[in-house]
Amino acid sequence: MLASAPVTSLRRSPLHERHVALGAKMADFGGWEMPIEYQASDRYGGGVVKEHTAVREAVGVFDVSHLGKADVRGPGAADFVNAALTNDLRRIGAGKAQYTLCCDDESGGVVDDLIAYYRSDDEVFLIPNAANTAEVVRRLQAAAPEGVEVRDLHESFGILAVQGPRADDVLEALELPTGKNGLEYMAFVEASWEGRSVIVCRTGYTGERGYELLPRWDDAPALWDAVLAAGESSGIRPAGLGARDTLRTEMGYPLHGQDLSLDITPVQARVGWAVGWKKPAFWGRDVLVAEKEAGARRLLWGLEGLERAIPRSHMAVASSSGEAVGEVTSGTFSPTRKIGIALALLDRSVSEGDEVQVDVRGRPARFRVVRPPFVAASTSD
Amino acid sequence: MLYPEDLQYTKDHEWVRSADGTWRVGVTDFAQEALGDIVFVTLPDVGAEVTAGQPCGEIESTKSVSDVYAPVTGTVVARNESLDTAPELINSDPYGDGWMMEIRPDGDPSTADLLDAAAYQEGLADS
């Protein structure tokens, strides 16, 4: 019941040895061997629930160095990115970051969802998902105009996500900028820590106040050690990707490969807020505008458990009368709410407040259709 | 990890303590560690008939779900009600407060398939 596949030829984070020393359970995450959860020690309680709770109530640090990094540079780089990715860089200024999507031009399906750092009109830095980085870079390279260069910088930077209501205390102890001294939500700044450069962006994937720190790849272990030491008095815990998944699911944030994919459009996944509909061009524009006007045939909803059951990806969803209406795309136990929660793609016939049944290994379990988040966000001031 | 000498073990990573004609059943330290944080436990009702080697319940963690297997054919005579509200007892005390159920075997059950602590740990080392 418990065998796990052997881990072979996976790429490793610069913090790999730190995770092994902390007794982390490692697993394949988009081709990278990453920590799912940490063992309990004298210093840190381990396991998904404790790590999750630390982020909601104090602070946790995640290694997300597997995430991609790429930059687009050259005259008109921002215009080029703006004509390719969905969101509108003109909604933000230089120094701000933005959630955006790379869609397939023909189908409108989502190749990847990513964060774009708008550095200047001639430079945009991108954070795609680990497994999709090469494809995003390939598509951008193929379309880039003369003079604009797209580089895959996957192993140039590590990424540490410091997340939780006490995240500011940790950064302050490291003399890094925080929201308290003016760093707004989704703003980033080039800072330095002990003479080494670190990009600090006020962002995250947990719904909590927090920051993502991008040190140079080789500086990541020293920064990790410093973050854990600086956070000790704040109750910091190293947190694995298991907790990252329960945290993001509680917020209703989609995960590419589950809630977003080449087969699921932004209109269906209700991330149309990350589409610059008024822009003259972006990949997938024609098909997505048509879908938006016609109304999507299915939509991503939240489901919350009315009984003890945990929904999991691909479980079938039926109406209360037993008619098939869709399937679960992400599901988990909510450590905050102590109930089963899910994101599910459901037919247009379904409305908010409806009761539906999820087929949990042959047993119909009752869920309520809701609009996420399942837990209120506290990312902004 | 801990594997008490006075218990018997199954290949399905459960332990058995037989006393006074009933078998108390739980999961091993190895199993609780591999499952991670346990959040729901579904067990058969008292009076239910269970069959050796067949699933009779589920243990669900934040990450995954696993079947609970009956180590013997018989009747469930007790279930650990505390697990309904505190399933994490399996993580914190798998051989004590985290026990799952007690089964009264039909007739005179065979214990040939049960392993002692040493044999169970040998099996873990090989897997």
Side-chain angles (χ1 to χ4, degrees), chain A residues 144-362:
Chain A
E146 186 87 26
V148 171
E149 189 192 9
V150 182
R151 296 186 301 169
D152 185 339
L153 301 175
H154 214 139
E155 299 192 3
S156 298
F157 299 92
I159 308 184
L160 279 61
V162 181
Q163 302 279 304
R166 302 199 63 181
D168 287 37
D169 299 343
V170 180
L171 268 69
E172 277 175 354
L174 298 172
E175 299 183 346
L176 289 170
T178 69
K180 286 183 190 157
N181 43 44
L183 191 66
E184 292 173 24
Y185 182 57
M186 294 306 280
F188 67 91
V189 63
E190 311 245 358
S192 88
W193 166 74
E194 295 195 347
R196 308 176 222 211
S197 78
V198 183
I199 302 167
V200 178
C201 186
R202 186 165 160 202
T203 183
Y205 193 47
T206 62
E208 293 301 324
R209 188 179 177 98
Y211 304 88
E212 292 190 353
L213 312 180
L214 282 76
R216 288 273 159 194
W217 187 264
D218 293 338
D219 292 336
L223 183 60
W224 170 268
D225 295 344
V227 165
L228 285 176
E232 202 175 341
S233 58
S234 307
I236 199 168
R237 280 169 212 257
L241 299 183
R244 190 170 149 91
D245 193 58
T246 53
L247 288 158
R248 72 94 192 165
T249 307
E250 285 187 341
M251 301 316 301
Y253 296 158
L255 174 65
H256 192 273
Q258 293 182 192
D259 317 298
L260 287 172
S261 74
L262 274 172
D263 298 322
I264 304 169
T265 68
V267 182
Q268 294 166 13
R270 284 210 267 221
V271 285
W273 61 269
V275 177
W277 293 107
K278 292 177 183 159
K279 292 198 301 183
F282 58 86
W283 294 340
R285 185 179 186 279
D286 293 350
V287 61
L288 292 174
V289 166
E291 186 184 32
K292 185 176 180 240
E293 280 168 7
R297 66 184 170 88
R298 55 184 188 171
L299 289 170
L300 194 68
W301 285 99
L303 300 180
E304 57 182 41
L306 298 173
E307 57 183 285
R308 280 160 46 107
I310 304 179
R312 305 282 182 188
S313 298
H314 305 300
M315 285 181 176
V317 182
S319 66
S320 51
S321 58
E323 193 185 340
V325 291
E327 72 167 28
V328 172
T329 51
S330 285
T332 191
F333 172 77
S334 162
T336 306
R337 301 272 309 271
K338 313 279 185 215
I339 54 170
I341 58 171
L343 298 177
L345 269 176
L346 304 177
D347 293 349
R348 283 169 74 171
S349 58
V350 176
S351 315
E352 186 173 5
D354 284 1
E355 190 176 312
V356 292
Q357 303 174 6
V358 176
D359 182 345
V360 179
R361 294 175 298 280

Side-chain angles (χ1 to χ4, degrees), chain A residues 1-2 25 36-37 39 46-50 246 307-310 312 332-333 335 338-340 361, chain B residues 12-13 30-31 33-37 39-42 58 60-67 83-84:
Chain A
M1 72 181 185
L2 302 157
K25 278 182 204 162
I36 296 303
E37 63 178 16
Q39 203 169 46
V48 172
V49 174
K50 284 199 174 69
T246 53
E307 57 183 285
R308 280 160 46 107
I310 304 179
R312 305 282 182 188
T332 191
F333 172 77
K338 313 279 185 215
I339 54 170
R361 294 175 298 280
Chain B
D12 298 316
H13 306 286
F30 171 82
E33 170 68 24
L35 286 162
D37 290 329
V39 293
F40 284 150
V41 182
T42 310
E58 289 177 346
E60 193 146 16
S61 70
T62 50
K63 294 177 290 187
S64 61
V65 60
S66 290
D67 286 322
L83 297 181
D84 292 344

Side-chain angles (χ1 to χ4, degrees), chain B residues 81-96:
Chain B
E81 309 284 342
S82 337
L83 297 181
D84 292 344
T85 50
E88 66 274 12
L89 287 171
I90 293 180
N91 293 117
S92 57
D93 191 8
Y95 304 111

